[in-house]
Amino acid sequence: MNDVIRNIEPLGFPWATADPFLFCVHHDDRYPAGNERMGPAAPLDGRDLGQDFAGKDGWRMYHGLVVPGFPQHPHRGFETVTIARRGFIGHADSLGAAARFGQGDVQWLTAGRGIVHSEMFPLRDRQGPNRVELFQIWLNLARFDKMAEPHFSMLWHEDIPRRITRDAAGRATEVTVIAGSVGGAKPPAPPPHSWAARPDSDVAIWTVAMEPGARWTLPPAAPGSNRTLYFFQGSALRAADRAVAPYHGVELRPDAAVDLENGPEASQLLLLQGRPIGEPVAQYGPFVMSSPAELQQAFLDYQRTQFGGWPWPADDPVHTREEGRFARHADGRLERAAG
């Protein structure tokens, strides 16, 4: 009996995750050309604006009314890890911080005791198309870190390590290492209060790109960790000699190496792994606490303070079309990336 694979199930929207992860969603929208306001230069008729998740014509406005995305909304008690694979994301928050990132960048935000932020998808190319592809992953915080000061880190794609290995036939597998390490490739540090910042957390977030027919062995993780491999692009895959259909998640035994053999098309996978926090989870929408009383307090605090208020002139602020990749932190520190 093959005990390396514990379960295989189709991916929904969002994807099922295991402690310490709370949520994972894969957005892949093929937007048309952008208009003068960096919204879609296309009719919005037939869309449920404000709640457009149907995917009409291959793209969604989500909660956006002019520009696609997610206008201001609160979080408390967990972290968001946003992997912007294609296109751009505009960030603004209640601390006055702002950013534009994309094309492989990652934003890692610790909501902690509370933050309000917006995540908008500006369609900068007026000729089009404007493809936006991203993962948003929610990583829980341990109870003693849930009220940490809010904080975000930018992992610019130039600083994110990528490890390429080749099999006996010369076919390549590329691992992009956002958290954890593999084969000596170690990414920038996560935020200081993250569960991933603990040396014994065994948190790993990797994307894996395999050439057609490539073979690669996923190295073992620590015993007791939760480990899931998400096969989200490609035509066929074998894991531990078991066939995996596209758009399926594979729950793996953590302490075993897993032989992967790709099918005839290039494939893409996401790995989420980590030692469970093992604490109660009380969640309602954007608040994730450890008890119903803490959850009730989160709502009361938000009603009372708005987590600092909203310093922007609109709920869905969008940086100028010409603005490149940047991050301006709450303390005024400015980071700029090329392009």
Side-chain angles (χ1 to χ4, degrees):
M1 179 178 177
N2 183 346
D3 66 348
V4 174
I5 294 179
R6 293 177 169 171
N7 187 39
I8 300 177
E9 61 181 32
L11 299 177
F13 188 89
W15 298 350
T17 57
D19 188 3
F21 298 96
L22 299 161
F23 172 95
C24 179
V25 65
H26 179 221
H27 298 288
D28 192 358
D29 292 282
R30 315 298 177 96
Y31 293 105
N35 61 25
E36 69 281 356
R37 300 178 68 184
M38 288 181 283
L44 299 179
D45 302 337
R47 295 181 179 273
D48 184 12
L49 286 182
Q51 193 70 28
D52 177 24
F53 285 79
K56 182 177 182 287
D57 300 326
W59 50 274
R60 304 162 181 84
M61 289 294 290
Y62 300 104
H63 297 313
L65 301 179
V66 176
V67 174
F70 297 86
Q72 63 148 313
H73 55 281
H75 291 305
R76 173 181 275 189
F78 65 100
E79 298 186 292
T80 62
V81 182
T82 305
I83 305 170
R85 290 166 56 86
R86 293 180 175 88
F88 294 91
I89 299 174
H91 166 93
D93 67 38
S94 53
L95 305 179
R100 171 174 283 165
F101 60 99
Q103 311 291 33
D105 300 328
V106 176
Q107 184 196 62
W108 195 316
L109 183 146
T110 304
R113 62 179 176 81
I115 194 169
V116 181
H117 74 153
S118 66
E119 302 159 289
M120 307 308 297
F121 309 154
L123 310 182
R124 298 173 70 196
D125 190 341
R126 301 194 69 160
Q127 306 304 314
N130 287 277
R131 183 177 178 184
V132 176
E133 184 194 2
L134 64 101
F135 292 110
Q136 184 160 103
I137 300 158
W138 290 12
L139 176 62
N140 202 7
L141 287 167
R143 186 170 192 166
F144 53 78
D145 281 321
K146 284 188 175 292
M147 298 298 284
E149 288 292 318
H151 172 92
F152 77 82
S153 298
M154 289 306 310
L155 284 62
W156 304 111
H157 78 79
E158 295 89 346
D159 301 325
I160 297 173
R162 293 160 176 81
R163 185 172 187 267
I164 299 175
T165 58
R166 296 188 180 275
D167 61 19
R171 301 183 180 100
T173 295
E174 180 178 72
V175 182
T176 301
V177 186
I178 295 154
S181 62
V182 60
K186 187 175 181 180
H193 290 280
S194 176
W195 182 248
R198 297 173 61 102
D200 60 347
S201 70
D202 199 35
V203 169
I205 302 173
W206 304 341
T207 58
V208 180
M210 301 184 74
E211 289 185 346
R215 296 172 180 261
W216 180 67
T217 299
L218 175 68
S225 290
N226 288 322
R227 191 179 222 200
T228 305
L229 191 66
Y230 302 90
F231 178 28
F232 67 92
Q233 183 178 311
S235 60
L237 180 74
R238 296 192 73 81
D241 207 31
R242 185 168 168 184
V244 180
Y247 229 67
H248 278 68
V250 185
E251 182 186 350
L252 300 169
R253 198 182 97 203
D255 56 346
V258 184
D259 292 328
L260 302 177
E261 181 181 356
N262 192 25
E265 298 180 11
S267 289
Q268 297 273 347
L269 307 101
L270 172 72
L271 176 84
L272 296 182
Q273 165 194 303
R275 181 168 65 83
I277 295 174
E279 296 175 351
V281 174
Q283 178 175 358
Y284 191 92
F287 303 143
V288 183
M289 305 305 292
S290 301
S291 70
E294 291 174 352
L295 191 60
Q296 183 179 28
Q297 189 63 50
F299 278 96
L300 291 173
D301 289 347
Y302 176 60
Q303 291 169 359
R304 180 174 55 87
T305 70
Q306 298 294 295
F307 296 160
W310 187 246
W312 304 91
D315 290 341
D316 56 351
V318 180
H319 311 304
T320 64
R321 187 185 306 272
E322 297 73 26
E323 184 68 76
R325 295 155 55 229
F326 79 98
R328 186 175 65 249
H329 297 264
D331 62 2
R333 179 169 53 93
L334 181 65
E335 298 179 61
R336 289 203 176 275

